[in-house]
């Protein structure tokens, strides 16, 4: 629900999207404890500027800005043309700001929701992406970036400690700096009745300076979908671990939509390691409407106590959880609407509402 507009200025294209959907969804949930400030703070939207031939040699420039209710993301990407058989280079500069709910959020209502813990993550990254030529089933991306992470309070002030007085950075200062080498590999195979997907991400912190973070972090996602008559069964597993230097915001958060439904974001736990399994069966109810039943479970594998400051223990998170429920999937020209109703191990019920693939 909003407005969209495309403007052509010479060879450049500007896409503007202003959306009130988040305001409507927020009104269905508990009111936020934050001061909204102005009516514009309740509007989400995006602005995208694309130039296909910046310097006359088919160089591409993309500038995008996305604003959420409490988060924002600015991305600048510059690409130069290269032969298709070599890695494609992209210079990227990005700044994001978002609430750190997964680790520092406070679980309420029997872990069904997570409230603000007064910690927000401001991340600035600058670097280079290399997209390797894709094979029939495999693709990979390598990137090297400098990152500066700063923690802010809800009113925008730099902080070094959380509400309980524990450090929120690895360095103990107002910010962490690091150079991160990242490798992402993806596999996909599909036919008329099933599909298989696998993605692996490995990050290595490079010690350019002695005070910068040194760590190795990996994460994988494996999924399998099978058609069972008119129904479709989807199973997936997500896991990861981190060794070396670590700040609390780097922990794996478990719980919420896309993880273990029935719990708030990060309300199951947060640890140096994690394992999450999801199973969902969807079945058609009409041409545009599908029903679903699902079962989610996740655990921090006992690693919550290894996170600096042990935020999961201080907030009473169980470290493992199971959620089950049912939902509806509505497909329309405007987008895909998802409603999920889940119950967790504490018999607390949660309603989720999401919108994806909005038409442009």
């Amino acid at each position: 629900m909003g407005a969209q507009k495309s403007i052509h200025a010479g060879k450049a294209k500007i896409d503007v999207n202003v959306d009130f959907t988040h305001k409507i969804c927020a009104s269905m949930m508990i009111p936020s404890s934050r001061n909204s400030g102005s009516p514009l703070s309740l509007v989400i939207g995006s602005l995208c500027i694309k130039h296909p031939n910046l310097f006359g040699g088919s160089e591409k420039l993309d500038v995008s800005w996305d604003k959420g209710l409490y988060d924002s993301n600015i991305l600048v990407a510059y690409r130069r043309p290269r032969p298709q058989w070599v890695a494609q280079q992209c210079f990227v500069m990005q700044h994001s700001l978002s609430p750190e709910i997964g680790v520092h959020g406070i679980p309420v209502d029997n872990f069904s929701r997570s409230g603000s813990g007064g910690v927000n993550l401001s991340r600035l990254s600058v670097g280079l992406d290399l997209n390797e030529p894709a094979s029939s089933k495999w693709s990979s991306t390598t990137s090297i970036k400098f990152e500066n992470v700063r923690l802010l309070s809800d009113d925008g002030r730099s902080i070094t400690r959380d509400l309980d007085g524990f450090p929120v950075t690895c360095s103990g200062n107002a910010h962490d700096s690091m150079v991160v080498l990242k490798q992402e590999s993806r596999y996909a195979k599909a036919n008329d009745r099933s599909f298989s997907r696998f993605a692996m991400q490995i990050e290595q912190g490079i010690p350019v300076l002695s005070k910068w973070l040194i760590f190795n972090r990996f994460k994988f996602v494996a999924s399998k979908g099978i058609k069972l008559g008119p129904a479709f069964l989807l199973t997936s597993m997500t896991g990861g671990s981190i060794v070396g230097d670590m700040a609390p915001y780097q922990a794996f958060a478990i719980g919420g939509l896309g993880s273990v439904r029935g719990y708030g974001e990060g309300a199951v736990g947060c640890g140096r390691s994690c394992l999450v399994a999801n199973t969902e069966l969807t079945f058609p109810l009409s041409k545009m409407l599908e029903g679903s039943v699902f079962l989610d479970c996740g655990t921090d594998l006992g690693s919550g106590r290894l996170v600096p400051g042990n935020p999961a223990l201080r907030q009473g998170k169980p470290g493992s959880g199971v959620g089950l429920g049912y939902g509806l999937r509505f497909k329309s020209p405007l987008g895909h609407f998802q409603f999920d109703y889940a119950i967790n191990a504490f018999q607390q019920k949660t309603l989720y509402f999401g919108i994806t693939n909005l038409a442009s």
Side-chain angles (χ1 to χ4, degrees):
M1 179 178 175
Q4 300 174 347
K5 181 68 175 179
S6 294
I7 303 172
H8 292 271
K11 294 183 178 181
K13 180 184 179 183
I14 302 175
D15 294 325
V16 182
N17 176 31
V18 179
D19 200 332
F20 296 92
T21 304
H22 206 147
K23 180 178 178 181
I24 296 173
C25 296
S27 66
M28 299 170 61
M29 308 298 287
I30 186 170
S32 171
S33 60
R34 297 189 185 189
N35 182 7
S36 60
S38 67
L40 290 179
S41 64
L42 296 177
V43 178
I44 70 170
S46 63
L47 173 66
C48 183
I49 302 175
K50 298 177 181 288
H51 200 297
N53 192 21
L54 187 62
F55 300 115
S58 298
E59 302 90 349
K60 297 181 180 180
L61 176 68
D62 295 339
V63 180
S64 64
W65 173 59
D66 295 291
K67 180 190 176 300
L69 201 59
Y70 302 120
D71 60 320
S72 66
N73 182 70
I74 299 174
L75 177 66
V76 179
Y78 171 73
R79 301 174 179 85
R80 291 188 302 173
R82 303 190 74 193
Q84 294 184 355
W85 59 86
V86 299
Q88 302 300 304
Q89 297 180 351
C90 179
F91 173 79
V92 179
M93 180 169 61
Q94 184 175 15
H95 178 266
S96 62
L97 177 65
S98 60
E100 218 323 294
I101 300 294
V103 175
H104 294 284
I106 301 173
V108 295
D109 291 347
N110 285 332
F111 301 93
S112 65
R113 294 183 296 110
S114 295
S116 172
V119 179
N120 299 270
L121 195 66
S122 174
R123 186 189 300 269
L124 173 66
S125 64
V126 180
L128 186 68
D129 287 343
L130 296 174
N131 294 297
E132 300 293 336
S135 67
S136 59
K137 298 177 182 178
W138 284 95
S139 63
S140 64
T141 301
T142 303
S143 66
I144 182 165
K145 295 179 182 178
F146 166 78
E147 295 187 4
N148 182 271
V149 179
R150 185 177 298 272
L151 282 302
L152 307 175
S153 64
D154 286 343
D155 56 8
R157 294 181 294 105
S158 292
I159 57 175
T160 59
R161 297 183 179 274
D162 60 21
L163 297 178
D164 294 327
F166 288 84
V168 292
T169 60
C170 181
S171 64
N173 300 322
H175 64 86
D176 285 332
S177 297
M178 64 200 87
V179 171
V180 181
L181 178 64
K182 180 189 294 186
Q183 173 71 39
E184 296 181 76
S185 299
R186 294 169 295 276
Y187 170 85
K189 179 182 178 181
N191 56 42
D192 293 339
R193 299 197 59 83
S194 66
F195 75 84
S196 301
R197 293 175 186 165
F198 179 79
M200 170 72 81
Q201 180 186 95
I202 300 176
E203 296 177 291
Q204 177 66 56
I206 302 175
V208 177
L209 296 179
S210 60
K211 294 183 179 181
W212 290 7
L213 274 63
I214 308 172
F215 62 90
N216 183 276
R217 188 179 195 266
F218 82 91
K219 180 180 180 181
F220 73 88
V221 180
S223 59
K224 176 73 173 182
I226 304 174
K227 190 173 183 181
L228 303 174
F232 192 81
L233 177 66
L234 174 64
T235 61
S236 66
M237 179 169 288
T238 303
S241 187
I242 179 172
V243 295
D245 297 336
M246 178 187 181
Y249 57 79
Q250 292 178 300
F252 293 93
I254 308 165
L257 188 62
S259 179
V260 182
R261 285 164 286 190
Y263 292 81
E265 182 180 352
V268 172
C270 55
R272 276 185 175 266
S273 303
C274 78
L275 193 63
V276 176
N278 310 96
T279 301
E280 180 169 306
L281 180 68
T282 58
F283 44 89
L285 298 176
S286 67
K287 184 177 180 180
M288 302 175 63
L289 186 64
E290 292 181 336
S292 69
V293 291
F294 56 83
L295 173 66
D296 303 332
C297 56
T299 175
D300 64 7
L301 300 174
S303 66
R305 57 185 175 83
L306 303 178
V307 176
N310 202 346
L313 176 64
R314 288 187 281 121
Q315 295 154 9
K317 297 180 180 180
S320 61
V322 177
L324 56 92
Y326 56 89
L328 294 174
R329 310 287 183 264
F330 180 70
K331 299 179 181 180
S332 75
L334 296 177
H336 295 179
F337 297 81
Q338 175 178 337
F339 299 86
D340 284 334
Y341 184 78
I343 184 171
N344 63 24
F346 299 91
Q347 298 185 0
Q348 184 66 41
K349 304 175 181 65
T350 307
L351 176 66
Y352 298 96
F353 171 51
I355 305 175
T356 58
N357 300 329
L358 289 177
S360 58

